[in-house]
Amino acid sequence: MARVLVIGGAGYIGSHVVKALLQSGHRVCVFDNLSTGQKINLFDMADFEEGDILDYTRLSEVMSQGFDAVVHLAAKKAVGESMENPNKYSLNNIQGSLNILMTMADNNVKNIVFSSSAAVYGMPEYLPVDEKHPVKPINYYGFTKLEIEKFMDWYDTLKGIKYVALRYFNAVGYDADGDIKGKEKNPQNLLPIIMETATGVRAEMSVFGSDYDTRDGTCIRDYIHVSDLATAHVLAIEKLIAGMPSAVLNLGTGEGTSVKEMIEAAERVIGTKINVKYADRRPGDPAVLIASSDKARELLGWEPKYTNIDDIIQTTWNLER
Ligand code: UDP
């Protein structure tokens, strides 16, 4: 049993990580400023400390409770916004993460699992993308994630803080038991937008680009179920505590699904037509992004359980019914 501080534990991915940790018998404390995280996502079995990673005193106070590991998921994650308002990302993502590393060093907390992103790679030069692929982010959000990985590496060298950076591909789905109910507000990602269109929150949705060099002309992504992501965090903590050296790991399924295929799958699951219009390409979108997660399989013994896109979409649709 480990005592784990989950920073950002009231958010979409964080709440799934908290559930997975509790199910594996760990003790969990959630630290969250509830800016995008929601109280409805909290579990009775986990402690909750409200606070902001930019409030150094408050963060230090909670960190001084003593933890075996930290999971850090507190970040801004809208790619477009990061290009228009880089200061917000410098502050929340970079300064916030530095505060976490500094308070960990001060309080002798030795392990961290960090939510990184496929955005660190930029435009893929080959597929599937493995961890040896060059890292050349093409947006400021991806740059912040990469810089934090580098800070963690220095804190490993200088302060003996071991880390696992998990580079998520496209996180989708919800807890299959329905234990996590907080829908993200103003979603920017494909599947929540499909859901909003299906339920009439939006009159129609746009498919960004239909002239890509792919099997149906729309972009292909690697959609990984959030509960499979969550499992990887638990395994990473357990391995770090057992002495595994720091590592950077991709998390994806290795399977690609196109935007059109996502919409068709959602139509099958929901049983209605989704109102779609074909629009221009979105700047910065690669045609295809697929992960090689062999390293996570090898080092963590991790295996995604969800392989069928209809099953994954069903877990999101369950929230609407
Ligand atoms: N996409 C789309 N319409 C939308 C939102 C997204 O066609 O309203 C496409 C987007 O261009 C990309 C894929 O869906 O090819 C996944 O986008 P998302 O923003 O969910 O994740 P990203 O791959 O950018 O991290």
Side-chain angles (χ1 to χ4, degrees):
M1 194 270 289
R3 186 152 157 68
V4 185
L5 180 65
V6 182
I7 302 177
Y12 167 53
I13 299 176
S15 54
H16 287 84
V17 171
V18 170
K19 176 169 177 178
L21 282 166
L22 291 171
Q23 276 188 323
S24 298
H26 298 296
R27 260 188 78 190
V28 177
C29 177
V30 170
F31 185 88
D32 201 299
N33 67 1
L34 300 176
S35 64
T36 52
Q38 301 173 44
K39 279 211 163 125
I40 191 180
N41 283 341
L42 295 171
F43 286 81
D44 288 343
M45 283 183 44
D47 296 333
F48 175 56
E49 298 281 1
E50 190 168 347
D52 197 305
I53 53 175
L54 295 175
D55 181 347
Y56 195 85
T57 310
R58 174 76 182 126
L59 183 62
S60 290
E61 178 187 281
V62 173
M63 200 66 81
S64 72
Q65 291 176 16
F67 296 95
D68 301 305
V70 167
V71 183
H72 170 27
L73 313 105
K76 300 291 166 200
K77 60 162 194 170
V79 169
E81 183 190 52
S82 77
M83 300 295 276
E84 281 153 26
N85 190 359
N87 285 4
K88 187 169 176 180
Y89 286 73
S90 302
L91 199 62
N92 286 278
N93 292 12
I94 294 190
Q95 186 58 55
S97 297
L98 283 171
N99 287 351
I100 291 171
L101 286 173
M102 291 189 282
T103 53
M104 285 177 72
D106 284 349
N107 290 283
N108 213 24
V109 178
K110 290 294 185 196
N111 301 291
I112 180 167
V113 175
F114 171 62
S115 62
S116 189
S117 167
V120 300
Y121 294 115
M123 283 295 180
E125 292 173 16
Y126 60 84
L127 293 165
V129 174
D130 59 18
E131 295 83 353
K132 294 196 181 79
H133 187 285
V135 279
K136 294 182 197 158
I138 56 165
N139 52 62
Y140 193 66
Y141 163 76
F143 171 78
T144 65
K145 292 288 175 180
L146 184 59
E147 293 308 291
I148 299 157
E149 289 187 3
K150 292 179 189 165
F151 287 126
M152 291 195 301
D153 210 56
W154 272 110
Y155 269 78
D156 180 353
T157 306
L158 303 175
K159 289 286 176 183
I161 295 176
K162 300 288 164 209
Y163 69 90
V164 172
L166 297 174
R167 292 176 176 167
Y168 312 148
F169 280 63
N170 291 63
V172 283
Y174 270 83
D175 175 57
D177 302 326
D179 287 341
I180 293 160
K181 296 187 169 59
K183 280 194 281 181
E184 287 189 288
K185 300 195 176 79
N186 305 315
Q188 310 275 333
N189 295 108
L190 178 63
L191 188 55
I193 287 173
I194 292 176
M195 292 296 151
E196 287 194 350
T197 315
T199 53
V201 175
R202 291 166 187 257
E204 64 176 5
M205 61 168 288
S206 298
V207 171
F208 298 138
S210 49
D211 59 351
Y212 283 99
D213 185 17
T214 58
R215 52 185 175 256
D216 62 17
T218 66
C219 286
I220 292 178
R221 294 287 179 276
D222 185 334
Y223 295 93
I224 171 88
H225 195 281
V226 64
S227 297
D228 283 328
L229 289 183
T231 309
H233 293 72
V234 179
L235 292 169
I237 287 172
E238 291 171 350
K239 295 281 180 187
L240 280 175
I241 291 173
M244 183 180 80
S246 296
V248 174
L249 304 173
N250 284 345
L251 293 179
T253 64
E255 291 292 322
T257 307
S258 75
V259 174
K260 240 185 197 166
E261 288 162 354
M262 281 296 274
I263 293 166
E264 284 162 10
E267 288 178 338
R268 276 195 300 277
V269 169
I270 300 167
T272 52
K273 277 305 267 175
I274 313 282
N275 205 1
V276 163
K277 77 162 190 249
Y278 288 90
D280 289 344
R281 291 181 178 198
R282 192 172 65 173
D285 264 347
V288 184
L289 195 56
I290 295 174
S292 161
S293 304
D294 290 351
K295 202 173 158 194
R297 286 170 211 265
E298 196 184 309
L299 291 184
L300 302 182
W302 174 78
E303 192 66 50
K305 288 204 178 68
Y306 289 86
T307 50
N308 179 291
I309 200 69
D310 291 33
D311 294 344
I312 292 177
I313 293 173
Q314 182 72 53
T315 65
T316 299
W317 177 239
N318 288 344
L319 229 64
E320 306 292 339
R321 296 183 306 161

